[in-house]
Amino acid sequence: MLAIIEAAGWPIWPLILASVLTLAIIIERFISLRHKEVAPRGLLEGVIQEYRKQGVTAEMLDRLSMGSHLARIFGAGLRNAKAPREVMKESIEEAGRAAAHDLERFLTALGTIASIAPLLGLLGTVIGMVEIFGAQTPSGGNPAVLAHGISIALYNTAFGLIVAIPSMIFYRFFRTRVEALVVEMEQQAIKLVEMVHGERT
């Protein structure tokens, strides 16, 4: 591996940094976007059951505010349970926007890495080509410099694609997961509003 890095030259270091950031973001998002972390199953039924037994209590609101994203949305709505339907819905929408923003954290960085990694690889290619042409003299070329220039060009191109392809795949994957989770939270929040206001049993 060290031999490859040496052969690829200094342009490989930004790509190595990008690959480390990509791996860290992918692991973090896999952990943070688990269904039980965002919208645990059975949460709506449990909240409604507790609400019907003892109404909105400070203990319930505190527990929901420390829970999952969906729990915090429910907590925001239940704080306004006695207000008109529109007020409760607005508070839920505000909490939902904050939750969606949190779910999308680091995805812009992942998409940016997917976009710039091929460009960084291309930069390394250009630098390698410059070395190749710089090795040419009227009396001929230096084979060692020529080989080094070719190594820089090829390794950086390949590594740029190696970083970009998984980054783009996981960026699309996580975007799709976030969209699905947001839609599910919206649907459950609407059910909560309707149940609290007696529009659904």
Side-chain angles (χ1 to χ4, degrees), residues 151-168:
S151 295
I152 291 175
L154 295 180
Y155 279 127
N156 280 281
T157 301
F159 205 73
L161 294 175
I162 288 170
V163 173
I165 292 170
S167 298
M168 182 56 71

Side-chain angles (χ1 to χ4, degrees), residues 42-63:
L43 179 63
L44 176 62
E45 291 77 9
V47 168
I48 287 297
Q49 187 176 16
E50 186 176 353
Y51 172 77
R52 287 174 175 166
K53 280 183 179 178
Q54 55 191 22
V56 179
T57 63
E59 182 186 350
M60 177 201 289
L61 293 177
D62 288 342
R63 189 173 65 253

Side-chain angles (χ1 to χ4, degrees), residues 73 76-78 80 86-96:
I73 291 171
L78 290 173
N80 297 283
E86 291 72 22
V87 174
M88 184 178 180
K89 191 175 178 183
E90 283 177 12
S91 63
I92 282 178
E93 287 173 353
E94 289 175 6

Side-chain angles (χ1 to χ4, degrees), residues 17-53:
L17 177 61
S19 68
V20 172
L21 288 173
T22 297
L23 185 60
I25 291 171
I26 289 170
I27 292 172
E28 191 278 337
R29 288 291 85 190
F30 259 122
I31 294 171
S32 298
L33 295 178
R34 288 177 299 172
H35 205 282
K36 66 178 183 179
E37 293 289 330
V38 180
R41 302 192 189 283
L43 179 63
L44 176 62
E45 291 77 9
V47 168
I48 287 297
Q49 187 176 16
E50 186 176 353
Y51 172 77
R52 287 174 175 166
K53 280 183 179 178

